[in-house]
Amino acid sequence: MPFPFPPERDRDLYRDAAAMAVGIAIVGASFGALATAAGLPWWIPVAMSVLTFAATSQFAMLAVVTAGGGIVAGLVAGVLVHLRHIPYGLAVGDLYWDKWWTRLLGTHMLIDQSTAFALAAGKDRRRAKAAFWITSVIMFIAWNTGTVVGVLAGAYIADPDALGLDAAFPALLLALVLPSLKDRDTLLAVIAGSAIAVATAPFLPTGLPVLLALVGLLAAWPRGGKKKEAGA
């Protein structure tokens, strides 16, 4: 099958995706090192990266489980973080919804970066489709390579906190959230959720304060005044 568009037309795409892949590989290495240093067998973080391919969800589950929250709480945390992929699929799903196997593969490879690069292509569907797949493949290779490197290094790191690896997950989430904080309602939701989590942390089991923080979303609930204003 011919390539969707001439490669020379997309030097910027390859350059930008490669630059982002470096960061993704570093975060992947942090995940692998933290998981191994926490006592998990090497194959668990490797399998998670291949089968889940979702950095924030993997870190969320790892953080909850290693803190003593249990497998169920870890799974719930990972799934909740991963729910943001539902609107992603609605936005770019038509780019890989051709055959049954592309549906499975495309859904698995759907991440923040592949969605962003595909949407950046605008109305050029052929270019958007190529951007989605090229970015997905590059990120998949970078993430899993980073995880393997981290797993190998984790066996020799006595204290990952000393290298700041424990800050990888919070930093990743903060990077995802920061652009949205320009919106007033989103900012209110973040403040309310953070306050709930901090207030309940001393009294509830690990993992539950984070789930309760979702109540903060009520602060961003559409209000009647806004609807009337929008319809005016």
Side-chain angles (χ1 to χ4, degrees):
M1 187 176 74
F3 201 68
F5 56 87
E8 64 272 9
R9 183 180 160 190
D10 295 275
R11 290 175 182 170
D12 291 344
L13 169 61
Y14 285 105
R15 181 198 63 206
D16 295 343
M20 187 168 291
V22 174
I24 291 296
I26 293 173
V27 177
S30 299
F31 170 74
L34 286 171
T36 304
L40 295 179
W42 67 268
W43 59 269
I44 290 183
V46 171
M48 285 179 67
S49 289
V50 173
L51 300 176
T52 306
F53 186 40
T56 49
S57 295
Q58 291 176 225
F59 270 111
M61 182 176 181
L62 179 65
V64 172
V65 171
T66 55
I71 294 294
V72 174
L75 285 172
V76 171
V79 169
L80 286 174
V81 172
H82 214 55
L83 286 179
R84 73 185 189 281
H85 285 210
I86 294 177
Y88 291 177
L90 295 175
V92 300
D94 62 307
L95 300 178
Y96 56 81
W97 210 251
D98 300 324
K99 303 176 182 67
W100 70 266
W101 64 271
T102 60
R103 295 176 190 176
L104 292 176
L105 184 59
T107 301
H108 180 61
M109 302 290 271
L110 181 67
I111 56 174
D112 304 83
Q113 291 80 8
S114 60
T115 302
F117 275 75
L119 292 177
K123 296 181 180 179
D124 188 339
R125 190 175 184 278
R126 186 177 63 167
R127 184 178 178 83
K129 188 173 185 177
F132 174 84
W133 286 109
I134 290 171
T135 306
S136 296
V137 171
I138 291 176
M139 297 302 162
F140 185 82
I141 294 172
W143 176 249
N144 284 280
T145 301
T147 299
V148 172
V149 171
V151 165
L152 295 175
Y156 301 97
I157 299 176
D159 182 13
D161 295 0
L163 299 179
L165 295 181
D166 57 315
F169 176 55
L172 183 60
L173 283 183
L174 185 61
L176 290 174
V177 169
L178 275 178
S180 302
L181 296 184
K182 296 177 182 178
D183 177 71
R184 181 176 176 274
D185 289 341
T186 303
L187 180 59
L188 287 175
V190 170
I191 293 175
S194 300
I196 292 171
V198 170
T200 58
F203 313 104
L204 296 177
T206 303
L208 287 183
V210 176
L211 300 182
L212 276 179
L214 291 174
V215 176
L217 292 174
L218 293 176
W221 195 266
R223 289 175 282 278
K226 281 196 169 185
K227 289 184 178 178
K228 291 180 182 177
E229 188 178 326

